[in-house]
Amino acid sequence: MHSTHRDAIARVVIGYLTALVIGTGLLMMPAATVAPGGISLLSGLFTATSALSVTGLAVLDTGGDFTFFGQAVILALIQIGGFGVLLFTALLAIVVAGKTGLRLRQSVATETKSSAIGGIAPMVRRIVVLAVGAEFVVAVALFLRLRLFYDEPLGEAVWSAVFHAVSAFNNAGFGLHSTSLMNFVADPFICGPISCAVILGGLGYPVVIELARRYRSPLTWSLTTRAVVVMTPVLLVGGTIYIAVIEWNNPNTMGTLDVWGKIQASAFQSTVTRTAGFNSVDISQMHPATWLGMDILMFIGGGPAGTAGGVKITTFLVLGAMTWTEITGGRAVNLLGRRVARSVHRQATTVIVLSLSLIIAATMVIMLDAPSLGFDRILFEVISGFGTVGLSTGITVDLPGLSQVVIIITMALGRLGPVTVASVLALRARPQRFELPKERPLIG
């Protein structure tokens, strides 16, 4: 990999750590919390990491334990983290395109309206306009509902609307209510705008731009856009049905709601589970089978170059296509009318294996540190941290110090890890000077 590419990735990591240190320091200030004296270094670091990685796991109540200043710091970290991921992944897409041939390079230059790979100003402006515009529209919708229907005071309605809109678009899951959105479980005018913001942020910048420009010409869509457009509704509908079937009669979650309320709650939870982290029902009271299904959704995540976490839809779909090709005896891996390059096979496999390794290692450490919390809940917490989701079965505040450190590391690596690994593999150029003798070991 070229030294300039290594330098670019190093600068991103340094920038992330710098923002993390500053955010932690600000949250530790006495002015940031309601209780006098401020919070501990570990609590500050955990909260700052969760906000900057747009996760949403919290050891403190955002609305109850933090002052307006503290909440503003958290919101700023969420916005910085969301913008940072959008810009970082979009820039890497340009760099990767520059290494993979003239046709793709021209395509990316056209998409970003830049005459050269280095012309990134138009792309940055589009990302900012997309993010701020979406957040503004959602904030207005939430404000009108909170002010006119729930009769919240003007200042509280404005701040709550802005905070939840920014948190939703950036797929962060932070909220100002101790019960998240459980008080609005049957309100489509609260859950609806938030769901739309979560989906839009999770689609990814390249997909949103391509859909806006070529929505009438699906045959010209890139494979990334095709994969995200096909799999997003599949995962949303599949998750809705799965959650509804298991939780339909659970009196502690959806059992007391009417039919429409149950459908709406299931759809909302399916939407946010893939990376946003809000909840309109009590996650701690769900059936363990529901947790397992949500583990899968959290692990997959959303689209690439977006605010969503996880291994990404495209990675999951490529691995599925590889498996299907092996089962059917095909020679090339084909996906949605395109042939997938062999280098992408290795990238997808590497991202999946490393991600699973991180999840397994983190789960094992926490099980040793806090075995009383139970395997199901610990696994859910770890995958939620890795996928930068923010959902919890209620054990976050009970995690011992070592376990909190593990989750902090998991959130940070979950935010930067998959995209960094994929970009390094895509950019690395190592000429093959010799080949070893070929042999097929027994598999299975």
Side-chain angles (χ1 to χ4, degrees):
M1 186 171 59
H2 198 275
S3 60
T4 56
H5 303 146
R6 286 196 299 268
D7 293 342
I9 294 175
R11 282 195 293 269
V12 169
V13 174
I14 293 173
Y16 181 92
L17 294 176
T18 302
L20 183 60
V21 171
I22 295 174
T24 301
L26 292 175
L27 290 175
M28 290 176 63
M29 294 175 62
T33 50
V34 174
I39 58 178
S40 67
L41 173 61
L42 184 58
S43 295
L45 180 61
F46 191 101
T47 304
T49 304
S50 185
L52 192 61
S53 63
V54 293
T55 301
L57 289 175
V59 292
L60 296 170
D61 182 6
T62 305
D65 292 329
F66 288 98
T67 61
F68 175 78
F69 172 74
Q71 294 169 12
V73 171
I74 292 173
L75 192 65
L77 289 173
I78 292 172
Q79 192 72 285
I80 292 171
F83 274 142
V85 170
L86 285 172
L87 292 171
F88 178 45
T89 50
L91 289 173
L92 282 177
I94 293 177
V95 175
V96 171
K99 296 284 289 184
T100 53
L102 178 62
R103 182 178 179 182
L104 181 57
R105 184 162 61 252
Q106 291 175 336
S107 175
V108 171
T110 300
E111 288 301 316
T112 58
K113 293 295 183 183
S114 60
S115 58
I117 295 303
I120 63 172
M123 180 192 67
V124 173
R125 285 195 296 268
R126 283 184 175 81
I127 289 178
V128 172
V129 169
L130 170 65
V132 175
E135 292 167 356
F136 177 77
V137 171
V138 174
V140 170
L142 294 178
F143 166 75
L144 293 175
R145 186 63 170 175
L146 293 172
R147 178 63 174 164
L148 301 179
F149 186 80
Y150 292 97
D151 199 29
E152 285 196 5
L154 179 62
E156 292 182 14
V158 170
W159 179 238
S160 181
V162 171
F163 191 98
H164 286 91
V166 173
S167 182
F169 178 79
N170 289 289
N171 282 224
F174 274 94
L176 298 179
H177 306 284
S178 59
T179 56
S180 190
L181 298 178
M182 290 173 60
N183 294 336
F184 310 104
V185 61
D187 190 342
F189 297 100
I190 294 292
C191 295
I194 288 178
S195 295
C196 291
V198 169
I199 293 172
L200 182 62
L203 288 177
Y205 166 76
V207 173
V208 173
I209 294 299
E210 187 166 15
L211 288 177
R213 292 177 177 169
R214 303 176 183 173
Y215 65 93
R216 294 182 179 179
S217 307
L219 294 179
T220 65
W221 291 352
S222 65
L223 182 55
T224 297
T225 298
R226 294 185 182 195
V228 172
V229 169
V230 168
M231 283 301 296
T232 295
V234 169
L235 292 173
L236 291 176
V237 174
T240 300
I241 295 174
Y242 183 86
I243 294 172
V245 168
I246 299 177
E247 299 296 328
W248 192 268
N249 294 317
N250 185 341
N252 297 317
T253 55
M254 303 177 188
T256 58
L257 301 174
D258 57 23
V259 173
W260 170 244
K262 292 177 181 179
I263 295 174
Q264 181 176 301
S266 300
F268 179 79
Q269 210 55 63
S270 174
T271 301
V272 299
T273 294
R274 286 185 37 241
T275 190
F278 295 106
N279 63 283
S280 61
V281 296
D282 191 348
I283 302 297
S284 66
Q285 299 299 317
M286 284 182 160
H287 194 282
T290 308
W291 293 341
L292 182 58
M294 294 169 71
D295 286 341
I296 297 173
L297 292 176
M298 291 190 295
F299 181 75
I300 296 173
T307 57
V311 297
K312 304 299 186 295
I313 287 175
T314 45
T315 305
F316 176 78
L317 205 54
V318 167
L319 193 67
M322 292 168 56
T323 303
W324 179 252
T325 301
E326 286 298 319
I327 292 175
T328 57
R331 296 182 60 85
V333 176
N334 299 317
L335 179 62
L336 301 175
R338 296 287 191 272
R339 180 170 59 85
V340 181
R342 291 187 179 274
S343 59
V344 177
H345 306 177
R346 296 191 295 270
Q347 293 168 26
T349 304
T350 301
V351 169
I352 293 289
V353 170
L354 291 179
S355 299
L356 288 175
S357 300
L358 173 62
I359 290 171
I360 292 171
T363 302
M364 291 175 64
V365 173
I366 296 178
M367 288 182 67
L368 292 172
D369 188 43
S372 62
L373 297 179
F375 171 73
D376 289 339
R377 295 177 184 271
I378 292 175
L379 179 64
F380 190 96
E381 193 85 5
V382 169
I383 295 180
S384 179
F386 165 79
T388 66
V389 179
L391 290 174
S392 176
T393 60
I395 68 171
T396 309
V397 296
D398 298 323
L399 292 173
L402 175 60
S403 297
Q404 288 189 33
V405 172
V406 171
I407 294 295
I408 289 172
I409 296 173
T410 303
M411 289 189 294
L413 293 179
R415 178 74 282 176
L416 295 178
V419 64
T420 302
V421 169
S423 62
V424 168
L425 293 174
L427 294 171
R428 185 178 59 188
R430 295 177 59 184
Q432 190 108 13
R433 293 183 171 84
F434 65 92
E435 290 187 358
L436 297 173
K438 183 184 293 186
E439 186 175 347
R440 294 179 61 89
L442 296 177
I443 301 295

